[in-house]
């Protein structure tokens, strides 16, 4: 039997042979020891392929890009890499970040002659680079720094403030300086030839190139640090209120700049782009807390929440203007919180200790007026055993402190609104930044003979023609990446029958909505029956937990409907992030196998209803539009032999959630020769793991529970029992450093899964990575508009050796378009550059949810949607009951990862995610 056929003919009867009898003296450990030697027999590891040729199709268009040419004059020199360590006088290592730059600056000032006057490129941590060697391979210095805690350094924490002033010692508060002695050890680590940069530009990339460019990146970071910027990876942010945008909740978006060196076909270039990070609103702590908790005054603040929020933030305390790190809040309000105050002896000369309240001390001893601090907690900047208290109103948050929690929907919307820039404004801001950065004055760059041009690089783009689309009543050409259904009918309508409406207390004229939906469906050529009923939520459950509300609604539906519905339209009361969404989807898809569409009707018009119908039709198995070349079938290569297209993505929890499983989704095309219909397979895996670990998962000699087997069998059954000869993989969300893993770990698993299905079957593979998270932007020199949809660039700013291209398939309506950067890692099928670019462009036009070309190929968008939607299932779970012992493996060893519930047969091969 062909193993593509699902088992069904009594395969349980054929038992595997009995296990061999193991002699009692065999030690089982040996088998385990032999396992690691096995990969040694494997074939050599794959590397990304080189570019074969350039594309030529499309109308030519001049384009400017935010890459600035870098000239490197010194090819013969070497960068010398030294490792640096700091310790206190007593030998304890220095823990605090941020103090390093100050110590290194002091070393350079104090010991210039012993260092032969060399300039340093220091990364702020343990690495230091020079052009040419230092006089000796190991150098030791001692330096003294005054008053470390009182001034901050580029967004890193000051060291732990030993001996921060305690209220019990008043003289200490007044003493302006405390000095500290540090020992510094600088020892030689490696030598990096600058020639590596020149080699890379000829397409011979080496480890040394990455290192050499890292040194140049560090020089730019150091340049920014000297100007007092906050550094976040390869971006820097100036402390300039002009760059701050309030997004609510005491959080500001801070605009700064990303800069990185890249090797391109036309040489080394510096890529500079606008970038945004989130910071805490600087100024009085009380103002921040009121904004953060959205309360009216200090007396309404939730102090338990405030304590968590404030921990480790830095403040300046008036009137001394000293800087401290917050360690917590006092247990008692300021007027009740006491501490021991030493006072100099009176007539008899003995010192005495008295207990005073913090409030009393500041008001009576220090004569500082306090308006509202008496009844709220104090800020503690001391050690757990030796607290140091300040009244709330004397504390101000220092600027440029990062806010790292995830943003609320409202904050995110506000950020997008306030940070978008039209292309010309963005160009102006970038030009100004480059001019004001004054890199020519950076001695380290001068020593390497590096100069950076201030003009945008001009490249030649090509605008590909949009593919023709097929509808139910004819064909049409999209214009400017858009089309509509005004006089058009759906290409392949699916009948909407045996359905009902469910209203979770959304304020809405439900009957009117149904009437308009029926009318709209009729005009688009979708056959639709009247709904069986409209179920309004019982008001007594509105305050119940989401899972209970969903259960109660289902009890109601089951008691009234004659049989299971084929479709449910669900009205939710909140536009975004309704907590009913996850439990509702889970109940429908995993327990009952019912297709469902959620809407939150605010402004209902014909356009809105059309969009809802497009999603419903796709979910029920219809197609709204398809490519004319897909209909006829005449797509180069893809239409000639059975071809499956995969989209792969992994979504991770928000930055703060390290324990939430990552969710891997793979979608696959079905019903070849179509490339517009997909189904998804979604699995959980260990948190923050980027490689998909369930592609091939053999559980016995005959059984594979992996993702690929499921998708290949579906393709086979839906494509007239044909196995795919070509497998085209689009992978999202991996960086260049992970390309080799995609080629050697993920692709190997996919090949093994195929061999497991059929040993004789040898499909050909294409592997393409899509990146949206990069900083290359395009501008038109002669127009204020974004580049036209279909703009492709594969020259000049692309990689000197590897096969990559940029494509802007969509029409950028707001802000500046972000092209997608596609990297072709493998092509065994043999596409020409034009054929591959056209296929990728066409796949941006098959997204069933919208009437526009999208910015990245549809299979990747679908994988993202499927992962997000099924991720909602997990939110309301009690972890313990869904845990399974065989999760992925994280750095902490084997961690159990809760598994997603399986979708019902009826919906698992549908576009439920659409």
């Amino acid at each position: 039997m062909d193993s593509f056929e699902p088992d069904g003919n009594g395969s349980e009867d054929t038992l595997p042979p009995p296990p061999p009898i193991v002699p009692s003296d065999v030690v089982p450990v040996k088998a385990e020891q032999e396992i690691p030697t096995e990969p040694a027999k494997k074939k050599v590891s794959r590397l990304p392929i080189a570019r074969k040729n350039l594309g030529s199709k499309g109308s030519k268009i001049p384009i400017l890009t935010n890459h600035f040419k870098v000239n490197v004059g010194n090819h013969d020199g070497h960068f010398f890499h030294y490792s640096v360590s700091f310790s206190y006088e007593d030998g304890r290592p220095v823990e605090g970040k941020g103090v390093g730059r100050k110590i290194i600056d002091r070393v350079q000032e104090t010991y210039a002659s012993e260092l032969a006057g060399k300039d340093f490129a220091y990364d702020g941590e343990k690495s230091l680079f020079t052009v040419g060697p230092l006089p000796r391979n190991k150098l030791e210095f001692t330096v003294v720094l005054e008053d470390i805690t009182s001034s901050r350094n580029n967004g890193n924490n000051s060291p732990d403030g030993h001996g921060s002033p305690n209220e019990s010692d008043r003289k200490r508060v007044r003493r302006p300086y405390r000095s500290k002695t540090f020992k510094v050890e600088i020892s030689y680590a490696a030598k990096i030839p600058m020639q590596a940069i020149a080699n890379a530009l000829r397409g011979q990339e080496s480890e040394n190139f990455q290192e050499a460019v890292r040194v140049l990146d560090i020089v730019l970071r150091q340049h920014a640090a000297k100007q007092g910027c906050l550094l976040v990876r390869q971006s820097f942010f100036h402390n300039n209120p002009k760059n701050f945008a309030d997004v609510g909740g005491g959080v500001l978006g801070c605009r700064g700049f990303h800069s990185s060196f890249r090797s391109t076909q036309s040489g080394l270039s510096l890529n500079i782009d606008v970038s945004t990070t989130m910071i805490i609103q600087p100024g009085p702590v009380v103002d921040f807390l009121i904004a953060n908790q959205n309360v009216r005054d200090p007396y309404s603040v939730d102090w338990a929440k405030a304590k968590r929020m404030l921990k480790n933030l830095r403040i300046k305390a008036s009137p001394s203007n000293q800087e401290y790190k917050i360690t917590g809040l006092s247990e008692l309000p300021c007027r009740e919180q006491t501490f021991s105050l030493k006072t100099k002896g009176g007539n008899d000369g003995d010192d005495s200790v008295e207990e005073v309240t913090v409030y009393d001390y500041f008001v009576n001893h220090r004569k500082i007026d306090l308006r509202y601090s008496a009844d709220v907690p104090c800020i503690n900047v001391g050690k757990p055993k030796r607290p140091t208290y300040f009244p709330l109103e004397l504390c101000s948050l220092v600027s440029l402190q990062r806010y790292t929690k995830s943003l609320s929907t409202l904050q995110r919307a506000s950020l997008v609104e306030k940070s978008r820039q039209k292309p010309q404004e963005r160009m102006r801001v970038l030009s100004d930044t480059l001019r004001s950065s004054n890199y020519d004055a950076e001695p380290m760059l001068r020593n390497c003979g590096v100069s950076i041009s201030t003009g945008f690089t001009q490249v030649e783009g090509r605008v590909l023609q949009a593919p023709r689309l097929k509808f139910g009543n004819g064909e049409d050409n999209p214009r400017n990446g858009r089309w509509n259904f005004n006089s058009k009918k759906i290409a392949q309508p699916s009948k909407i029958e045996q359905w009902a409406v469910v209203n979770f207390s959304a304020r809405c004229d439900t009957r009117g909505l149904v009437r308009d939906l029926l009318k709209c469906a009729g005009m688009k050529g979708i056959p639709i029956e009247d709904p069986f009923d409209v179920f309004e939520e019982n008001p007594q459950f509105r305050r119940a937990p989401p899972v209970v509300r969903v259960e109660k609604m289902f009890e109601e539906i089951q008691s009234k409907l004659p049989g299971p519905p084929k479709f449910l339209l669900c009205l939710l009361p909140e536009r975004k992030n309704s907590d009913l969404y996850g439990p509702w989807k889970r109940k429908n898809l995993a327990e009952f196998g019912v297709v469902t569409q959620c809407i939150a009707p605010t402004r209902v018009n014909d356009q809105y209803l059309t969009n809802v119908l497009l999603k419903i039709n796709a979910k029920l198995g219809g197609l709204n539009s398809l490519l004319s070349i897909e209909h006829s079938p005449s797509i180069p290569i893809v239409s000639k032999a059975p071809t499956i297209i995969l989209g792969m993505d992994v979504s991770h929890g928000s930055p703060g959630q390290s324990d939430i499983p990552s969710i891997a989704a793979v979608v696959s095309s079905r019903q070849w020769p179509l490339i517009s219909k997909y189904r998804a397979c979604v699995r959980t895996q260990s948190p923050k793991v980027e490689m998909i670990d369930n592609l091939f998962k053999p559980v016995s000699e005959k059984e594979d529970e992996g993702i690929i087997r499921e998708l290949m069998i579906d393709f086979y059954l839906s494509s007239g029992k044909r196995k795919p000869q070509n497998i085209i993989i689009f992978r999202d969300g991996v960086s260049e450093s992970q390309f080799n893993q995609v080629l050697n770990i993920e692709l190997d698993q996919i090949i093994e899964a195929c061999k497991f299905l059929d040993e004789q079957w040898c499909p050909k593979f294409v592997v393409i990575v899509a990146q949206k998270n990069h900083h290359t932007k395009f501008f038109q020199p002669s127009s204020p508009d974004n580049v036209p949809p279909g703009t492709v660039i594969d020259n000049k700013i692309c990689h000197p050796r590897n096969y990559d291209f940029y494509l802007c398939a969509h029409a950028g309506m707001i802000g500046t378009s972000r092209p997608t950067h596609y990297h072709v890692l493998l092509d065994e099928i043999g596409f020409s550059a034009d054929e591959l670019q056209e296929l990728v462009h066409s796949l941006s036009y098959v997204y069933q949810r919208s009437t526009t070309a999208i910015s990245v190929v549809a299979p990747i968008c679908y994988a993202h949607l499927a992962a997000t939607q099924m991720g909602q299932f997990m939110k309301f779970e009690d972890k313990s009951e869904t845990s399974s012992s065989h999760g992925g493996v994280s750095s902490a060893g084997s961690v159990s990862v809760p598994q997603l519930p399986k979708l019902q047969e009826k919906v698992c091969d549908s576009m439920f995610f659409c």
Side-chain angles (χ1 to χ4, degrees):
M1 184 188 81
D2 194 317
S3 57
F4 267 86
E5 300 281 5
D7 297 343
N9 49 357
S11 56
E12 291 90 325
D13 302 342
T14 52
L15 292 172
I21 293 160
V22 181
S24 56
D25 58 347
V26 170
V27 185
V29 178
K30 282 186 181 163
E32 282 183 39
Q33 289 167 342
E34 285 163 20
I35 289 171
T37 62
E38 209 183 20
K41 299 196 299 252
K42 275 199 170 170
K43 54 195 170 317
V44 280
S45 65
R46 302 179 190 90
L47 291 170
I49 59 169
R51 184 187 307 279
K52 297 183 198 133
N53 51 10
L54 297 175
S56 59
K57 279 194 173 170
S59 48
K60 294 189 166 57
I61 173 178
I63 279 174
L64 295 175
T65 143
N66 57 340
H67 283 238
F68 299 89
K69 189 153 177 47
V70 178
N71 290 310
V72 186
N74 180 357
H75 282 315
D76 306 326
H78 285 81
F79 290 121
F80 278 70
H81 178 188
Y82 294 87
S83 58
V84 184
S85 67
F86 307 112
S87 56
Y88 295 109
E89 275 177 299
D90 58 7
R92 279 179 307 130
V94 176
E95 294 298 337
K97 274 189 176 175
V99 66
R101 286 191 195 276
K102 288 188 182 143
I103 298 176
I104 289 294
D105 287 348
R106 181 53 55 88
V107 167
Q108 279 191 285
E109 285 164 31
T110 319
Y111 298 100
S113 56
E114 279 108 303
L115 297 165
K118 284 262 182 245
D119 291 302
F120 288 170
Y122 172 57
D123 72 350
E125 297 197 3
K126 295 198 162 61
S127 291
L128 181 150
F129 300 88
T130 56
V131 177
L134 291 173
R136 292 201 306 284
N137 277 354
K138 189 162 187 182
L139 296 149
E140 290 180 1
F141 302 107
T142 304
V143 291
V144 176
L145 284 189
E146 295 83 27
D147 189 32
I148 290 179
T149 36
S150 66
S151 65
R152 63 175 293 247
N153 182 280
N154 70 296
N156 296 326
N157 304 329
S158 51
D160 43 21
H162 291 295
S164 57
N166 185 306
E167 302 308 354
S168 64
D169 182 351
R170 293 163 61 191
K171 281 201 299 202
R172 223 170 173 188
V173 177
R174 303 226 175 95
R175 202 167 82 206
Y177 287 119
R178 290 170 320 211
S179 57
K180 250 200 171 66
T181 305
F182 295 92
K183 289 189 189 149
V184 184
E185 199 174 274
I186 298 175
S187 37
Y188 170 77
K191 184 164 128 177
I192 306 154
M194 291 188 199
Q195 185 63 40
I197 295 177
N199 293 350
L201 304 177
R202 291 199 294 270
Q204 309 160 343
E205 233 178 84
S206 59
E207 276 294 292
N208 282 333
F209 167 72
Q210 298 301 342
E211 281 295 302
V213 165
R214 183 176 152 229
V215 179
L216 295 180
D217 277 329
I218 287 169
V219 174
L220 296 198
R221 282 173 60 83
Q222 176 174 284
H223 187 72
K226 282 180 181 157
Q227 298 167 358
C229 290
L230 162 67
L231 304 181
V232 182
R233 290 189 292 280
Q234 291 193 302
S235 297
F236 53 93
F237 302 88
H238 288 275
N239 187 13
N240 180 349
K242 265 204 341 234
N243 297 338
F244 300 165
D246 188 350
V247 300
V251 180
L252 310 180
C254 174
R255 197 178 70 199
F257 299 92
H258 161 94
S259 71
S260 60
F261 289 95
R262 305 196 64 80
S263 60
T264 69
Q265 290 166 19
S266 55
L268 193 65
S269 75
L270 178 65
N271 177 205
I272 297 189
D273 193 20
V274 174
S275 133
T276 304
T277 194
M278 309 317 297
I279 61 169
I280 299 269
Q281 169 187 315
V285 172
V286 69
D287 291 355
F288 165 70
L289 289 177
I290 286 171
N292 183 246
Q293 299 192 7
N294 194 17
V295 291
R296 299 234 313 268
D297 52 44
Y299 310 113
S300 320
V301 167
D302 171 340
W303 292 105
K305 217 163 148 189
K307 184 175 176 178
R308 287 196 301 275
M309 194 68 222
L310 292 173
K311 193 168 167 53
N312 292 333
L313 292 180
R314 291 187 322 279
I315 53 155
K316 276 210 162 112
S318 62
S320 69
N321 226 13
Q322 274 269 46
E323 190 176 303
Y324 304 101
K325 190 204 271 183
I326 299 176
T327 50
L329 297 175
S330 62
E331 295 294 316
L332 299 168
C334 185
R335 69 161 82 240
E336 296 170 33
Q337 184 65 55
T338 60
F339 68 96
S340 310
L341 178 67
K342 282 185 193 160
T343 49
K344 281 285 177 208
N347 303 336
D348 54 3
D350 284 345
D351 290 354
S352 63
V353 174
E354 59 172 321
E355 287 291 311
V356 295
T357 68
V358 177
Y359 182 81
D360 183 36
Y361 170 75
F362 276 91
V363 172
N364 299 326
H365 289 69
R366 300 279 300 274
K367 302 289 184 271
I368 294 171
D369 218 15
L370 295 179
R371 294 196 324 279
Y372 60 80
S373 294
D375 298 310
V376 298
C378 309
I379 299 257
N380 178 11
V381 298
K383 294 276 184 312
K385 294 220 165 55
R386 281 183 57 194
T388 302
Y389 297 119
F390 284 106
L392 192 66
E393 66 196 84
L394 300 185
C395 301
S396 271
L397 288 160
V398 172
S399 190
L400 293 188
Q401 301 194 69
R402 286 183 72 200
Y403 176 81
T404 51
K405 298 182 170 52
S406 49
L407 297 181
S408 70
T409 312
L410 284 171
Q411 286 173 321
R412 187 164 282 121
S414 171
L415 178 67
V416 168
E417 181 66 39
K418 290 179 176 172
S419 58
R420 57 168 88 132
Q421 291 173 310
K422 286 274 180 220
Q424 287 200 306
E425 186 194 347
R426 186 170 281 239
M427 283 180 80
R428 184 182 54 72
V429 168
L430 292 176
S431 292
D432 292 351
T433 302
L434 200 56
R435 261 200 306 280
S436 64
S437 293
N438 191 13
Y439 287 133
D440 292 343
E442 176 58 57
M444 199 65 189
L445 290 179
R446 279 213 302 273
N447 292 347
C448 332
V450 166
S451 63
I452 299 165
S453 136
T454 53
F456 286 73
T457 299
Q458 180 156 347
V459 296
E460 183 183 84
R462 292 171 291 112
V463 182
L464 301 179
Q465 200 175 349
R468 274 181 80 73
L469 295 181
K470 171 97 178 73
F471 300 94
N473 52 347
E475 298 193 352
D476 195 10
N477 280 328
R479 283 171 196 78
N480 194 30
R482 311 175 81 78
W483 62 97
N484 59 49
F485 276 93
N486 289 353
S487 54
K488 302 184 188 74
K489 294 209 177 338
I490 298 283
Q492 293 179 9
S494 183
K495 189 174 186 185
I496 304 176
E497 57 186 353
Q498 294 176 36
W499 70 288
V501 181
V502 168
N503 183 9
F504 282 104
S505 307
R507 289 202 190 98
C508 172
D509 167 13
T510 324
R511 306 277 161 200
L513 176 79
V514 169
R515 186 186 60 239
D516 294 345
L517 192 71
L518 294 177
K519 192 171 125 205
C520 190
M523 288 166 64
K524 304 289 173 267
I526 299 177
I528 183 168
E529 292 178 352
D530 285 347
F532 181 84
D533 204 347
V534 174
F535 295 96
E536 298 283 349
E537 183 172 34
N538 185 332
Q540 75 183 74
F541 299 126
R542 277 181 204 173
R543 299 249 175 277
V547 178
V548 174
R549 292 173 71 181
V550 168
E551 288 294 341
K552 294 292 178 196
M553 185 61 89
F554 258 93
E555 285 169 20
E556 174 84 352
I557 294 169
Q558 283 174 296
S559 70
K560 300 263 177 72
L561 287 186
K566 288 193 176 167
F567 170 67
L568 288 173
L569 181 67
C570 171
L571 278 53
L572 296 173
E574 300 92 357
R575 272 280 320 268
K576 282 265 191 266
N577 294 355
S578 169
D579 52 5
L580 285 162
Y581 182 84
W584 173 256
K585 286 284 182 189
R586 179 183 176 133
K587 194 83 181 159
N588 277 275
L589 298 173
E591 291 183 37
F592 289 99
V594 174
V595 173
T596 173
Q597 174 64 47
C598 293
I599 59 174
T602 40
R603 289 198 304 272
V604 175
N605 54 21
D606 195 49
Q607 178 66 55
Y608 180 85
L609 292 172
T610 301
N611 287 342
V612 169
L613 283 164
L614 293 180
K615 294 174 76 169
I616 295 171
N617 187 53
K619 285 176 175 171
L620 288 171
L623 267 183
N624 302 323
S625 60
L626 65 167
L627 306 171
S628 300
I629 52 171
E630 175 183 15
H631 178 65
S632 58
S634 54
I635 307 170
I637 299 182
V638 172
S639 300
K640 309 277 183 297
T643 300
I644 187 171
I645 297 173
L646 304 180
M648 305 185 0
D649 186 28
V650 177
S651 77
H652 306 290
S654 310
Q657 305 168 311
S658 54
D659 55 341
I660 287 190
S662 291
I663 295 181
V666 184
V667 303
S668 60
S669 61
R670 54 200 310 267
Q671 295 181 16
W672 179 81
L674 292 181
I675 59 169
S676 290
K677 273 202 171 173
Y678 293 84
R679 58 101 73 194
C681 188
V682 185
R683 305 284 172 88
T684 48
Q685 57 186 44
S686 299
K688 307 283 182 253
V689 170
E690 188 50 64
M691 289 299 119
I692 301 178
D693 67 4
N694 281 319
L695 294 167
F696 176 51
K697 196 174 170 191
V699 287
S700 72
E701 280 188 16
K702 288 240 167 108
E703 260 184 297
D704 162 22
E705 287 180 358
I707 292 172
I708 293 301
R709 179 189 180 91
E710 188 179 313
L711 298 179
M712 292 301 165
I713 289 175
D714 175 75
F715 178 90
Y716 178 78
L717 296 176
S718 69
S719 306
K721 301 216 168 164
R722 293 183 183 88
K723 296 172 197 169
Q725 290 176 27
N726 302 324
I727 298 179
I728 300 174
I729 298 164
F730 287 96
R731 177 68 160 95
D732 188 25
V734 289
S735 61
E736 283 159 58
S737 61
Q738 296 166 312
F739 287 177
N740 286 347
Q741 289 171 283
V742 170
L743 276 178
N744 295 297
I745 299 174
E746 288 186 341
L747 182 59
D748 269 355
Q749 281 199 34
I750 294 171
I751 291 170
E752 282 191 56
C754 294
K755 288 268 176 265
F756 198 87
L757 268 168
D758 176 357
E759 192 60 47
Q760 308 307 306
W761 173 43
C762 284
K764 292 180 175 163
F765 288 92
V766 170
V767 179
I768 301 173
V769 168
Q771 287 178 337
K772 289 278 287 176
N773 207 0
H774 60 82
H775 289 276
T776 296
K777 298 287 192 305
F778 299 144
F779 308 91
Q780 296 197 65
S782 52
S783 157
D785 297 332
N786 272 310
V787 295
T791 299
V792 66
I793 288 179
D794 59 4
N795 59 56
K796 233 173 176 185
I797 56 161
C798 290
H799 196 279
R801 172 196 173 272
N802 296 354
Y803 186 176
D804 64 333
F805 61 91
Y806 291 91
L807 172 65
C808 205
H810 65 300
M813 292 295 157
I814 43 180
T816 305
S817 296
R818 178 182 294 191
T820 298
H821 192 183
Y822 290 100
H823 302 260
V824 185
L825 305 187
L826 178 69
D827 175 11
E828 296 176 338
I829 297 171
F831 282 93
S832 70
D834 278 327
E835 285 169 338
L836 202 54
Q837 288 166 13
E838 295 232 279
L839 175 66
V840 169
H841 185 223
S842 296
L843 283 169
S844 306
Y845 278 82
V846 301
Y847 189 57
Q848 298 297 306
R849 282 164 50 120
S850 73
T851 54
T852 61
I854 52 173
S855 61
V856 66
V857 290
I860 279 180
C861 275
Y862 289 146
H864 194 71
L865 286 175
T868 307
Q869 186 172 125
M870 290 194 68
Q872 297 287 330
F873 284 17
M874 306 291 289
K875 276 191 179 170
F876 302 90
E877 300 262 295
D878 170 30
K879 288 246 172 80
S880 58
E881 69 176 16
T882 53
S883 265
S884 94
S885 53
H886 55 268
V889 177
S890 76
S891 55
S894 183
V895 172
S896 72
V897 175
Q899 301 298 302
L900 287 166
K902 277 213 173 328
L903 299 187
Q904 290 290 324
E905 287 288 307
K906 284 182 270 184
V907 290
C908 72
D909 57 5
S910 73
M911 288 177 59
F912 67 86
F913 44 79
C914 204

